């Protein structure tokens, strides 16, 4: 089945130690999104890729970066994780003519910072 | 300004009863879409139902229906005959625009608890 896969499912990292979360998709969608969701809050969009074009949200901290080496993969890099970065990170994909086709979400990576 | 507003932080409902989760939205676009997602404690975001701004009929998907009132800018989710497995966080979300990378913006969510 076509899907969006996030690895790892759970990630524990040390304060200040760089960490990378990965997302892959078999849907051939040209848009990929990264959301951060803290406990009991709404998912918050960090950035998205439209094909190779990177689009950062205005309030996304510089500590967060992203790479999309090809259509299938997208990575979220946190350069120096702080305790406040502990959250669920959700990857989603869509076509550029979303309509009712909607968005496909991965299962998320739950990040713990110790 | 808040684009999606869910005014019910928590709801408690008896099993088999119907429940309505409220959602209001704010947009100046003519073309937009409204989504409802269910998020169980495991964290995955499960798509439930979609309503396009030009759809004249309310969307339905099994036990889920969307009460779309365009003039009031509301898109309430109705779950009929609630089940214990419906206990989860529910998010209303909106995408704006027709083409390009259309960002999905979420409301704050409603935590639904179904009591036996």
């Amino acid at each position: 089945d076509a899907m969006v896969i996030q690895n790892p499912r759970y990630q524990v990292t040390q304060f200040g130690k760089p960490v990378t979360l990965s997302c892959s998709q078999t849907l051939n969608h040209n848009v990929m999104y990264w959301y951060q969701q803290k406990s009991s809050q709404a998912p918050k969009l960090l950035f998205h890729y439209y094909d190779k074009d990177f689009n950062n949200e205005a309030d996304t901290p510089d500590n967060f970066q992203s790479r999309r080496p090809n259509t299938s993969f997208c990575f979220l890099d946190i350069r120096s994780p702080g305790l406040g970065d502990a959250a669920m990170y959700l990857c989603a994909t869509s076509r550029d003519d979303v309509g009712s086709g909607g968005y496909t979400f991965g299962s998320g990576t739950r990040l713990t910072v110790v | 300004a808040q684009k999606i507003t869910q005014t019910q932080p928590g709801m408690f409902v008896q099993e088999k009863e119907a429940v309505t989760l409220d959602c209001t939205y704010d947009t100046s676009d003519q073309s937009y879409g409204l989504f409802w997602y269910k998020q169980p404690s495991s964290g995955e975001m499960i798509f439930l139902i979609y309503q396009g701004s030009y759809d004249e009929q309310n969307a339905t998907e099994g036990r889920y229906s969307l009460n779309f009132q365009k003039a009031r800018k509301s898109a309430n989710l109705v779950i009929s005959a609630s089940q214990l497995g419906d206990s989860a966080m529910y998010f209303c979300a909106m995408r704006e625009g027709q083409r390009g990378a259309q960002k999905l913006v979420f409301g704050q969510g409603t935590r639904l608890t179904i009591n036996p």
Side-chain angles (χ1 to χ4, degrees), chain A residues 1-73:
Chain A
D1 287 341
M3 55 178 57
V4 178
I5 299 172
Q6 290 188 244
N7 284 307
R9 188 78 173 88
Y10 300 91
Q11 175 75 57
V12 180
T13 191
Q14 289 182 334
F15 182 94
K17 184 175 181 181
V19 65
T20 295
L21 311 182
S22 76
C23 177
S24 65
Q25 55 131 339
T26 59
L27 297 156
N28 206 33
H29 284 173
N30 54 344
V31 191
M32 295 186 78
Y33 310 81
W34 279 105
Y35 285 86
Q36 178 194 61
Q37 186 182 20
K38 295 187 178 180
S39 183
S40 299
Q41 295 185 21
K44 177 180 175 299
L45 184 64
L46 294 174
F47 27 60
H48 71 272
Y49 270 96
Y50 183 12
D51 293 324
K52 294 183 178 180
D53 292 334
F54 176 70
N55 298 271
N56 204 25
E57 292 300 298
D59 56 354
T60 298
D62 293 341
N63 198 26
F64 291 86
Q65 304 286 322
S66 186
R67 296 170 284 135
R68 189 179 186 185
N70 53 53
T71 301
S72 301
F73 285 87

Side-chain angles (χ1 to χ4, degrees), chain B residues 38-97:
Chain B
K38 173 184 178 181
Q39 189 178 43
S41 56
S42 54
E44 70 265 35
M45 201 66 78
I46 301 168
F47 167 75
L48 296 178
I49 196 166
Y50 168 84
Q51 181 85 40
S53 58
Y54 295 119
D55 295 341
E56 294 187 351
Q57 293 198 339
N58 286 344
T60 60
E61 291 284 351
R63 293 187 300 115
Y64 304 107
S65 60
L66 200 151
N67 184 3
F68 182 46
Q69 298 190 35
K70 195 170 182 176
R72 294 186 176 184
K73 293 189 175 178
S74 75
N76 298 339
L77 176 70
V78 181
I79 306 174
S80 62
S82 58
Q83 303 171 356
L84 296 178
D86 293 334
S87 294
M89 198 74 173
Y90 287 80
F91 289 98
C92 180
M94 178 176 68
R95 63 140 182 94
E96 294 178 292

